[in-house]
């Protein structure tokens, strides 16, 4: 398992914690970054150590924590060496003011001043402190100077008031960090992704659906966003949180999904159809719950659902189209047939029995260029592989959907 944000794997991140109550949320941030495979080094101001003990960060990061109390010679330089990203979270009004003015009078402000890596501030403070013209001036100055300022969010603050000043959630900080350190081969591209199952009502309480969790489609949407794309996720019912930065529309039935996709596609460059769209729906869903009667089975008349991917291909000739083929046998043969049958650029063939209910997947990327076996991967790693494949295809101008090119 590579973790939640595979692009953070192997990255060196320095986290500077300054003195605010949101310091407790920085613990969760360290956990997420470490789980994603990043190496995290924490430094803290004296004030921050009053909120959370350095030992907590040491345990979570697995590395010694540098605090101002134990500052050694050149510690600020050691903390910036080989660093891919410096995150200041929470960032108080005080540290924003110092950084905006180039002040380096303690450990954390010196680390910021000495950082060659990108620096991201995650402000957290009382609403009044945030709205002060001095703070706003400092934040504008930091943005002008090329620093990242992430947040704050609005909501209820620890001081009891409602308003702007909440530190953004750790998962959002990790997502932003991941996008920042990722290459952006899809910059400027607009991507529409479908995910999850559809639900076709039989009556108000019963329906036809399937066991798709949505994990693979959500991972593709996240990977496309991290690759720099503008992403719309059109999703059937799932229990998953929409990835940060991804626009989403929730639908229930195949017909609703079709309408949402067709409405979104005129703006899109790439369509990735990951959803497990139900093949059939009830011809006439009952308005009221169908009553159970002893020995009498209700006759269910089915009609075929629209093939969303096929319609997308037919209506939008310039669109790059990728689909999935979840099969229980002859994965490659069936995926090849689907590539020609649906005239798409890419079919990701996988074994339905193995992917359903698992975090892992094992796929074949079947395209006019040939067949690539991915081997066993996490769904997130497979999503990255698919996005890299599409970006590479587009960079080669690989837009041919001619059946005779199929290998
Ligand atoms: O034909 P099959 O369902 O195996 O095709 C799989 C591909 O077609 C997937 O990418 C799926 O999202 C898409 N599809 C669709 N509309 C349907 C059925 C499948 O877009 N009604």
């Amino acid at each position: 398992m590579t973790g939640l944000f595979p692009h953070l794997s192997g990255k060196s991140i320095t986290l500077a914690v300054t003195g605010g109550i949101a310091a407790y949320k920085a613990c969760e941030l360290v956990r997420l970054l470490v789980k994603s495979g990043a190496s995290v080094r924490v430094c803290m101001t004296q004030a921050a150590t009053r909120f959370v003990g350095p030992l907590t960060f040491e345990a979570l990061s697995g590395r010694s924590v540098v605090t101002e109390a134990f500052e050694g010679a050149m510690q600020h330089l050691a903390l910036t060496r080989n660093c891919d990203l410096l995150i200041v979270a929470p960032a108080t009004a005080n540290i924003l003011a110092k950084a905006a003015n180039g002040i380096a009078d303690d450990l954390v402000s010196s680390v910021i001043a000495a950082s060659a890596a990108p620096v991201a501030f995650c402000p957290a403070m009382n609403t009044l402190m945030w709205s002060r013209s001095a703070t706003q001036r400092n934040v504008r100055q930091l943005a002008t100077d090329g620093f990242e300022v992430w947040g704050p969010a609005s909501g209820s603050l620890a001081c009891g008031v409602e308003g702007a000043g909440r530190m953004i959630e750790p998962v959002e900080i990790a997502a932003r960090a991941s996008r920042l350190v990722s290459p952006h081969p899809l910059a400027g591209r607009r991507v529409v992704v479908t995910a999850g199952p559809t639900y076709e009502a039989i009556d108000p309480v019963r329906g036809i659906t399937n066991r798709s969790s949505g994990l693979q489609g959500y991972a593709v949407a996240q990977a496309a966003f991290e690759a720099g794309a503008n992403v719309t996720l059109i999703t059937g019912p799932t229990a998953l949180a929409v990835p940060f930065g991804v626009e989403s529309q929730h639908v229930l039935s195949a017909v609703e999904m079709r309408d949402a996709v067709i409405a979104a596609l005129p703006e899109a460059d790439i369509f990735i159809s990951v959803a497990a769209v139900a093949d059939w729906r009830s011809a006439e869903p009952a308005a009221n719950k169908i009553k159970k009667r002893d020995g009498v089975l209700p006759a269910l008349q089915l009609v075929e659902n629209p093939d969303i991917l096929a319609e997308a291909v037919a209506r939008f000739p310039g669109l790059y189209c990728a689909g999935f083929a979840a099969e229980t046998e002859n994965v490659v043969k069936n995926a090849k047939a689907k590539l020609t049958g649906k005239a798409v650029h890419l079919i990701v063939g996988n074994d339905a029995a193995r992917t359903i209910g698992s975090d892992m997947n094992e796929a074949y990327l079947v395209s006019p260029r040939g067949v690539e076996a991915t081997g066993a991967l996490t769904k997130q790693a497979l999503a990255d592989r698919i996005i890299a494949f599409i970006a590479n295809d587009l960079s080669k101008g690989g837009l041919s959907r001619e059946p005779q090119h199929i290998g």
Side-chain angles (χ1 to χ4, degrees):
M1 184 75 184
T2 21
L4 289 168
F5 299 97
H7 288 270
L8 293 176
S9 178
K11 299 290 177 197
S12 250
I13 297 175
T14 298
L15 173 66
V17 183
T18 67
I21 183 63
Y24 81 91
K25 291 209 256 176
C27 300
E28 173 68 9
L29 175 60
V30 174
R31 215 184 57 83
L32 276 172
L33 298 175
V34 169
K35 202 172 149 204
S36 295
S39 159
V40 182
R41 193 79 205 272
V42 178
C43 60
M44 306 175 75
T45 61
Q46 271 287 284
T49 63
R50 309 280 294 268
F51 289 93
V52 179
L55 263 183
T56 303
F57 286 110
E58 199 165 307
L60 291 170
S61 67
R63 304 185 63 186
S64 60
V65 170
V66 189
T67 66
E68 278 156 11
F70 303 108
E71 190 176 355
M74 311 282 185
Q75 273 290 14
H76 61 294
L77 297 181
L79 283 161
T80 57
R81 204 166 292 132
N82 302 321
C83 171
D84 296 299
L85 174 63
L86 169 60
I87 301 174
V88 187
T92 56
N94 184 47
I95 199 68
L96 296 175
K98 285 191 191 183
N101 291 285
I103 295 171
D105 65 347
D106 58 13
L107 175 72
V108 168
S109 56
S110 302
V111 168
I112 295 165
S115 177
V119 183
F121 292 91
C122 303
M125 65 198 75
N126 162 274
T127 304
L128 267 178
M129 291 174 82
W130 172 249
S131 59
R132 281 280 173 255
S133 45
T135 305
Q136 291 300 309
R137 192 166 62 235
N138 291 332
V139 167
R140 279 194 302 276
Q141 187 61 53
L142 288 167
T144 306
D145 292 346
F147 293 102
E148 299 277 332
V149 181
W150 296 343
S154 290
S156 64
L157 304 178
C159 53
V161 299
E162 288 275 331
R166 270 177 76 85
M167 188 171 85
I168 59 170
E169 293 306 313
V171 69
E172 183 176 338
I173 299 174
R176 285 172 177 264
S178 180
R179 166 120 154 165
L180 192 74
V181 300
S182 303
H184 290 169
L186 292 186
R189 304 277 192 183
R190 300 181 82 90
V191 180
V192 173
V193 180
T194 62
T198 63
Y199 178 88
E200 316 296 332
I202 293 172
D203 69 17
V205 295
R206 304 185 184 94
I208 302 169
T209 187
N210 57 65
R211 291 177 55 209
S212 167
S213 66
L215 263 180
Q216 188 63 74
Y218 279 53
V220 166
Q222 180 179 324
F225 173 73
E226 295 195 351
N230 184 308
V231 185
T232 302
L233 172 68
I234 297 168
T235 172
T238 73
L240 304 172
V242 173
F244 167 75
V246 168
E247 241 182 71
S248 65
Q249 284 182 49
H250 289 75
V251 296
L252 216 50
S253 67
V255 169
E256 282 172 31
M257 184 173 276
R258 178 254 168 220
D259 291 348
V261 168
I262 298 302
L265 286 184
E267 307 289 318
D269 304 297
I270 301 166
F271 175 43
I272 312 175
S273 181
V274 195
V277 182
D279 292 309
W280 314 283
R281 67 177 183 277
S282 166
E284 275 181 65
N288 294 308
K289 187 179 170 193
I290 301 168
K291 286 285 178 206
K292 191 166 106 179
R293 290 191 195 93
D294 277 350
V296 185
L297 295 176
L300 191 58
Q301 185 69 40
L302 298 176
V303 289
E304 217 168 288
N305 267 328
D307 188 322
I308 305 169
L309 183 55
E311 187 175 346
V313 170
R315 287 178 66 155
F316 302 96
L319 186 68
Y320 186 103
C321 290
F324 270 64
E327 306 291 342
T328 50
E329 55 189 352
N330 300 324
V331 174
V332 173
K333 189 165 160 243
N334 287 323
K336 279 185 177 175
K338 240 156 237 179
L339 184 76
T340 36
K342 300 215 182 198
V344 291
H345 298 96
L346 170 66
I347 285 283
V348 181
N350 58 6
D351 185 327
R354 277 209 247 165
T355 175
I356 286 177
S358 170
D359 289 341
M360 301 293 289
N361 211 338
E362 185 169 348
Y364 296 89
L365 307 186
V366 180
S367 77
R369 300 189 198 285
V371 178
E372 264 182 41
T374 65
L377 294 171
T378 63
K379 288 186 172 171
Q380 280 156 337
L382 177 60
D384 275 334
R385 187 81 180 264
I386 293 166
I387 292 302
F389 185 95
I390 294 173
N392 183 41
D393 238 5
L394 287 172
S395 74
K396 289 183 180 153
L399 281 173
S400 169
R401 286 200 284 244
E402 298 302 316
Q404 64 267 29
H405 290 186
I406 290 156

